[in-house]
Amino acid sequence: MFMAVPAPRWCCTVYDRLLSSASKLKPLLALELESRLLRALLHQIFTMGTGNDTTHFRALHKSYSQSLDPMLRGLLTETPTTDKLQHLLEHIHFWIQSKKTKERVRAIQSSAALLEFATILPGFDTSSDFSKAGDFVLQLGLHVSQPADDISRQARGGIYWLHRLLLVLT
C-alpha cells in the first residue's frame, strides 16, 4: 500500500522554485518534458495534506497553490493557443476524477482559474480546434450538483469561463 510521506524541507524548496520559475525556461520546454513536470507537480500539489491535514501542510499547500496558477498562466502566455490550453487542462482534469474531495476541489479551482485567464489573455490564438471542450464541460458539469458548495461553485465558474471562451472561438 502506498503511503504519502511528507516531503523533506529541501524537496519542498525545490518544488517551490520549479513552480515559480518553470514558465521562464528558455527555450520552451519540450512537450513531453513539460508533461512529466506538470504531472509530478500537480500530483504533489493536489495530494498534499489530504491524508495528513496539519497546519504545516495547509500552509505549504497554500504556498504551492499560489505558485501553481501563475506557473500555468506563464506556460499559456508563452504559447497562447487553444492547443496549449487544452494540453494544460488535460493534466488538470485528470485530478477532477479523484475520489478525494480536496483533490477534486483543487483541480476544479485550477481549471476555472486557467480558463478565466485564457479569456482575457491578449493575443490568445483561437484559430486551432478545441476538440476536448465537450469533455471539459462534461467533467465540470458532473460536479455542479455536488453537495459541497465549494466544488459546485468552482465547477459552475469553470463552465462559465469555458462558455465565454467558446463564444470567442465561434
Side-chain angles (χ1 to χ4, degrees):
M1 177 174 175
F2 176 74
M3 197 167 145
V5 177
R9 184 173 287 291
W10 67 267
C11 185
C12 295
T13 303
V14 170
Y15 272 123
D16 195 35
R17 287 186 181 151
L18 279 172
L19 282 172
S20 63
S21 64
S23 67
K24 299 172 189 163
L25 294 175
K26 300 291 179 201
L28 298 177
L29 288 175
L31 199 56
E32 180 58 32
L33 178 59
E34 180 182 280
S35 288
R36 293 168 86 189
L37 179 60
L38 276 171
R39 280 192 296 270
L41 293 174
L42 291 173
H43 179 268
Q44 181 68 24
I45 291 170
F46 291 154
T47 61
M48 181 179 290
T50 55
N52 190 3
D53 202 11
T54 64
T55 304
H56 170 73
F57 277 107
R58 284 192 298 270
L60 195 55
H61 173 261
K62 182 178 180 180
S63 172
Y64 280 6
S65 294
Q66 289 172 343
S67 298
L68 176 63
D69 288 341
M71 182 198 70
L72 292 171
R73 288 192 303 261
L75 290 171
L76 185 59
T77 300
E78 286 183 350
T79 312
T81 65
T82 51
D83 287 336
K84 183 64 164 199
L85 175 63
Q86 185 167 278
H87 170 75
L88 296 171
L89 287 172
E90 286 174 334
H91 285 83
I92 296 168
H93 277 238
F94 170 82
W95 291 96
I96 290 178
Q97 301 165 18
S98 173
K99 293 180 181 179
K100 296 183 179 180
T101 302
K102 288 183 181 183
E103 293 173 5
R104 285 194 311 269
V105 169
R106 293 169 183 170
I108 291 170
Q109 287 171 339
S110 292
S111 175
L114 188 60
L115 286 164
E116 179 180 5
F117 179 73
T119 62
I120 62 169
L121 181 61
F124 187 72
D125 180 9
T126 58
S127 62
S128 60
D129 191 28
F130 197 30
S131 61
K132 301 267 182 170
D135 293 339
F136 298 144
V137 169
L138 176 63
Q139 289 174 336
L140 291 168
L142 290 172
H143 293 84
V144 167
S145 62
Q146 288 285 321
D149 286 341
D150 48 351
I151 292 177
S152 178
R153 181 175 28 81
Q154 292 293 333
R156 287 190 313 267
I159 291 172
Y160 170 79
W161 292 112
L162 187 53
H163 178 256
R164 295 253 334 247
L165 186 63
L166 290 173
L167 287 175
V168 172
L169 292 172
T170 55

